[in-house]
Amino acid sequence: FVLNILSQDNHQQLLRHFLKRFPPGANRFAGVHILPKAAPGGPVLADALAFLGCCVRQRLEAGDHWIIYAEVESGRVADQEGQTAVHHRKVGNHY
């Protein structure tokens, strides 16, 4: 899988896009600018501050969630001076 790290300066539009509900089978990346073939594990967002290409090594079922242990195999930082975006939920049961 690919972990895209968003920038503090431009994360709002991408955050709103991926927080909305999608119908089953919908392409969640439709309309989002991606870098084709930048990483083998999935789409890399063109506007990402950085990305990490990861390989799952182990999964652990934990109630209604999974804990994933992965190893980073590739990555790139697009902006060495950029700040990582931070998102805080307002309440525990709703984004």
Side-chain angles (χ1 to χ4, degrees):
F1 65 92
V2 171
L3 178 65
N4 287 281
I5 301 164
L6 302 180
S7 171
Q8 175 179 302
D9 297 336
N10 69 348
H11 73 285
Q12 289 296 329
Q13 183 178 2
L14 285 168
L15 183 68
R16 280 192 292 274
H17 173 80
F18 287 109
L19 283 178
K20 70 183 178 184
R21 295 191 187 274
F22 291 90
N27 179 0
R28 295 172 184 264
F29 292 92
V32 176
H33 188 209
I34 61 171
L35 303 175
K37 300 182 183 178
V44 173
L45 303 177
D47 292 330
L49 176 65
F51 78 88
L52 301 171
C54 304
C55 182
V56 175
R57 297 296 179 211
Q58 196 169 32
R59 298 183 309 172
L60 173 67
E61 193 172 350
D64 62 348
H65 288 74
W66 285 89
I67 297 172
I68 306 292
Y69 174 75
E71 186 174 301
V72 175
E73 296 184 327
S74 64
R76 182 177 63 91
V77 176
D79 180 3
Q80 296 279 337
E81 304 298 320
Q83 296 286 320
T84 303
V86 177
H87 175 72
H88 298 279
R89 293 194 312 184
K90 293 184 174 136
V91 295
N93 63 351
H94 187 294
Y95 278 97

